[in-house]
Amino acid sequence: MAIPAISAHTTRTALRTAAGAFCATLLLAACSSGGGGQAGGSAGSGTPQAGSGTKVTVTETEYALKLSRTSFTPGTYTFVSDNAGKITHALSVDGPGVEDARTKDVPPGHDGTVTVTLKKGTYEVYCPIDGHKQMGMDQHIKVG
């Protein structure tokens, strides 16, 4: 018994269909993966949405932090880490009700954000990259 030959046209059509289905699957997976790499939480988690608070720019250089404001009242703030340095930095906020909220690692010339809700009290704003905090990238802010 002979096996029927498959035409080249049929093979090409089948390969195109399979490639199209594969690409559609990848696109669908990428669109539904969430992520983003930035701190901030989701709407249903009780954590503020990224970008939803009063903006505070924190300029990071080797090895210092400069905040765009010095006075804080309780509320939601989006800290924008502006890396004006020559090496990678990041930004972390710790204090009452906020623990280890941080940006992604921020390469030179880029920025990252972290949104937190600050209550009355003292908070530490610092670069969590190994050794940077000890070298001066550490500030305390008072909210009240």
Side-chain angles (χ1 to χ4, degrees):
M1 176 166 140
I3 298 175
I6 299 175
S7 74
H9 174 69
T10 303
T11 302
R12 281 193 303 271
T13 302
L15 286 174
R16 267 188 255 146
T17 302
F22 180 72
C23 289
T25 301
L26 286 178
L27 181 62
L28 188 61
C31 289
S32 65
S33 69
Q38 294 183 351
S42 64
S45 69
T47 306
Q49 280 288 82
S52 66
T54 302
K55 181 179 171 183
V56 179
T57 301
V58 182
T59 303
E60 296 187 276
T61 58
E62 291 79 39
Y63 288 94
L65 301 177
K66 182 180 178 189
L67 280 70
S68 64
R69 68 184 301 150
T70 56
S71 176
F72 296 86
T73 57
T76 301
Y77 292 86
T78 296
F79 289 87
V80 178
S81 164
D82 177 18
N83 187 350
K86 294 181 178 14
I87 61 175
T88 298
H89 294 296
L91 192 70
S92 189
V93 180
D94 288 322
V98 178
E99 187 174 326
D100 296 325
R102 66 165 283 170
T103 66
K104 65 188 183 325
D105 288 355
V106 181
H110 291 83
D111 58 36
T113 61
V114 59
T115 300
V116 294
T117 298
L118 304 180
K119 301 176 185 176
K120 188 174 181 177
T122 301
Y123 291 80
E124 186 174 25
V125 179
Y126 62 96
C127 178
I129 303 291
D130 287 341
H132 291 197
K133 178 178 172 182
Q134 294 78 7
M135 295 172 78
M137 297 186 78
D138 184 26
Q139 290 207 10
H140 291 82
I141 60 172
K142 188 168 211 136
V143 178

